[in-house]
Amino acid sequence: MLSQPLLRLVSAVSRRRMKLLLGIALLAYVASVWGNLINMSVLLNRSIQENRELRIESRIEEIIEPLREKIRDLEKSFTQKYPPVKFLSEKDRKRILVTGGAGFVGSHLTDKLMMDGHEVTVVDNFFTGRKRNVEHWIGHENFELINHDVVEPLYIEVDQIYHLASPASPPNYMYNPIKTLKTNTIGTLNMLGLAKRVGARLLLASTSEVYGDPEVHPQTEDYWGHVNPIGPRACYDEGKRVAETMCYAYMKQEGVEVRVARIFNTFGPRMHMNDGRVVSNFILQALQGEPLTVYGSGSQTRAFQYVSDLVNGLVALMNSNVSSPVNLGNPEEHTILEFAQLIKNLVGSGSEIQFLSEAQDDPQKRKPDIKKAKLMLGWEPVVPLEEGLNKAIHYFRKELEYQANNQYIPKPKPARIKKGRTRHN
Ligand SMILES: NC(=O)c1ccc[n+]([C@@H]2O[C@H](COP(=O)([O-])OP(=O)(O)OC[C@H]3O[C@@H](n4cnc5c(N)ncnc54)[C@H](O)[C@@H]3O)[C@@H](O)[C@H]2O)c1
């Protein structure tokens, strides 16, 4: 029934029309396939692009993450927590200059003055000091660090001056004796001139070395000393002696308030590792597993004060009314051998103790008389030797670790030479 009209239609449509219809159908089919292909390629492209974007994003993330970490660290350092600082009223807060404040003693003094709530300006030329010693204060509103050589004049407004700028250990002060002399003479004149101009009180960090090779034991402040003015140590010993003379000249002639601390051997964290002194030598030798070198029998005695005791003494002296020189040191004597054994035990070192030939000019005793400090300042050392040594050992151990990777590890220098012989300092 259906085939009749269909046959009629087929026969009615010419061959050409048929071809046209087939062509159209083919075109429609190709177009639909093409459309699908285009759709597919768009989808494919999109997913490739999305993939690529994902990969780029994760790569960017990889690069950015360490940067973010650094920014977080930087932010932390901006909001750095300083050691706790007391609040002082305007009336009690002093503007204090510490020359040599980036050195061993000066940096501990700076810590105390800052924590007591004062405004502290550290002036240092970084000859033997380092920024690391005071970096924990950088950025604090009460603290300022100035890179300046005291041999040049300085103009600032201060109420007190702790004048510590000077190399202190024999290898350091003998390195450039003329500079040591200039620092102790011209530098002290400059600081006294500043004290005079602004009406500040000046404390001079003098030394037990003003007693030279003493004929009096223990040394009292009224002993005038026994110094060789042309020996290798004279640049320091005589430099400090003339610095004391200058202080009293300014006091008498210009009315400048002066305080003079005669400091005896001091030890503690931030002391120089390679200054050739007995404590640093023994600690470094023990930590590095080298023999602890003792010259002679080791029965010579030495007395060392821990740095926090000295700092308390300096502050007590500055704020006292004692203008004459005062000894600050620990009178507790120990033999060199006792020091060696104690340090070896505290380090837990297997190092042996090596006895080297005796140095006949090695002083048998060195000990301060601190009656004056006790009486007039109510000051005396309180830190037990072992406690102080443990802190110094901890510091030296950390320093060795810090330097181990890529830096120079200081070797203990032989004890200083005097008249051609080695001796303990
Ligand atoms: N450490 C001791 O056992 C001892 C003993 C007696 C006296 N002292 C005296 O105490 C003071 C401090 O001694 P330390 O052991 O801290 O020594 P240190 O070498 O660690 O400190 C001295 C500081 O003074 C700075 N300095 C040196 N010359 C300078 C200059 N021309 N201008 C500016 N800054 C300069 C150094 O860079 C360093 O920071 C010194 O005056 C020293 O004579 C120390």
Side-chain angles (χ1 to χ4, degrees), residues 10-260:
V10 169
S11 62
V13 176
S14 69
R15 268 182 92 83
R16 250 175 99 191
R17 277 188 188 152
M18 192 65 183
K19 270 185 191 165
L20 188 66
L21 276 176
L22 277 173
I24 290 170
L26 190 65
L27 269 179
Y29 174 73
V30 168
S32 92
V33 169
W34 185 247
N36 280 347
L37 273 177
I38 286 178
N39 273 349
M40 273 171 67
S41 96
V42 166
L43 283 177
L44 199 68
N45 270 347
R46 196 174 294 156
S47 91
I48 287 172
Q49 194 154 345
E50 277 172 4
N51 245 342
R52 194 178 301 146
E53 277 170 8
L54 271 179
R55 276 211 309 275
I56 291 172
E57 266 174 30
S58 75
R59 182 79 193 105
I60 290 174
E61 201 52 36
E62 263 171 38
I63 296 170
I64 281 181
E65 190 44 38
L67 293 177
R68 281 211 192 99
E69 191 74 27
K70 276 192 186 153
I71 290 170
R72 276 196 290 270
D73 285 351
L74 270 177
E75 278 171 354
K76 254 188 243 158
S77 76
F78 287 144
T79 53
Q80 183 188 342
K81 286 222 172 356
Y82 297 102
V85 166
K86 260 189 224 160
F87 173 77
L88 284 185
S89 66
E90 195 74 18
K91 178 174 68 74
D92 297 326
R93 191 163 64 233
K94 295 201 162 52
R95 297 161 304 171
I96 302 177
L97 167 63
V98 181
T99 73
F104 160 50
V105 176
S107 62
H108 287 281
L109 175 63
T110 298
D111 286 351
K112 166 141 182 77
L113 297 172
M114 283 293 296
M115 289 195 272
D116 284 352
H118 298 290
E119 289 172 22
V120 180
T121 301
V122 163
V123 159
D124 205 296
N125 70 350
F126 304 108
F127 172 50
T128 51
R130 13 177 235 181
K131 282 191 190 136
R132 260 180 79 204
N133 288 345
V134 287
E135 70 179 354
H136 47 286
W137 293 116
I138 288 173
H140 193 287
E141 58 182 335
N142 287 354
F143 179 77
E144 195 168 354
L145 176 62
I146 302 177
N147 186 342
H148 177 85
D149 193 315
V150 293
V151 171
E152 303 297 329
L154 179 72
Y155 301 94
I156 55 171
E157 294 296 319
V158 283
D159 305 309
Q160 292 186 342
I161 302 170
Y162 286 87
H163 180 39
L164 275 66
S166 164
S169 69
N172 289 333
Y173 65 65
M174 287 181 195
Y175 172 75
N176 186 343
I178 296 172
K179 180 68 191 200
T180 302
L181 274 167
K182 282 186 180 172
T183 298
N184 279 299
T185 54
I186 304 172
T188 303
L189 273 181
N190 282 334
M191 290 309 112
L192 283 162
L194 173 65
K196 179 188 147 193
R197 272 195 305 278
V198 299
R201 182 181 287 181
L202 180 142
L203 181 147
L204 172 72
S206 185
T207 169
S208 57
E209 300 290 335
V210 298
Y211 301 124
D213 228 348
E215 303 126 316
V216 171
H217 294 285
Q219 292 85 53
T220 50
E221 288 86 350
D222 50 15
Y223 175 55
W224 289 355
H226 180 224
V227 175
N228 175 2
I230 56 168
R233 304 148 58 93
C235 59
Y236 182 69
D237 301 2
E238 296 288 19
K240 288 287 186 185
R241 283 168 71 94
V242 81
E244 286 196 10
T245 309
M246 287 169 174
C247 285
Y248 293 108
Y250 265 78
M251 184 176 94
K252 285 177 193 133
Q253 195 177 321
E254 306 289 350
V256 172
E257 287 190 43
V258 296
R259 303 288 179 262
V260 173

